Amino acid sequence: MTLPMFDIVAAIVRRTLNGRPFDMPDRQHIHHRLLDRGWNPWQVLCLLGALCLTMGAAATAATIFRLDALAWIAAMFVGRVDDPPAAVRP
């Protein structure tokens, strides 16, 4: 649930800073930005699904091994999904 919550919070903050209503639609969500960069829907689905699985695994591992830093590192990685490295760009 980290990725959808991050996307929603980012959209609300972005719209508030731009003076637009928070419920006004736009194409700045993570999946729209990846599609606009040339990714096809299947690639976007696989990437976002993999990120959600990674965050779930990191949260589970952080809970089991009591490593809060692991959860924070994974969350910071997910925050970079808007600008993937050149190696993973289509």
Side-chain angles (χ1 to χ4, degrees):
M1 290 302 295
T2 303
L3 189 60
M5 289 179 359
F6 170 78
D7 194 32
I8 290 169
V9 169
I12 291 171
V13 169
R14 180 179 58 249
R15 292 171 189 163
T16 301
L17 291 175
N18 290 330
R20 297 185 347 194
F22 75 92
D23 58 348
M24 176 180 263
D26 62 16
R27 290 193 52 85
Q28 295 300 312
H29 288 282
I30 293 170
H31 64 283
H32 287 298
R33 294 179 72 157
L34 291 171
L35 289 169
D36 291 344
R37 288 179 181 216
W39 292 54
N40 68 42
W42 183 248
Q43 290 171 319
V44 172
L45 175 67
C46 289
L47 175 68
L48 297 181
L51 288 172
C52 287
L53 285 172
T54 301
M55 287 303 300
T60 301
T63 301
I64 291 171
F65 299 114
R66 299 174 195 244
L67 298 172
D68 292 341
L70 178 62
W72 284 107
I73 291 168
M76 290 187 329
F77 171 74
V78 169
R80 298 268 311 148
V81 75
D82 277 345
D83 190 25
V88 296
R89 290 184 186 146

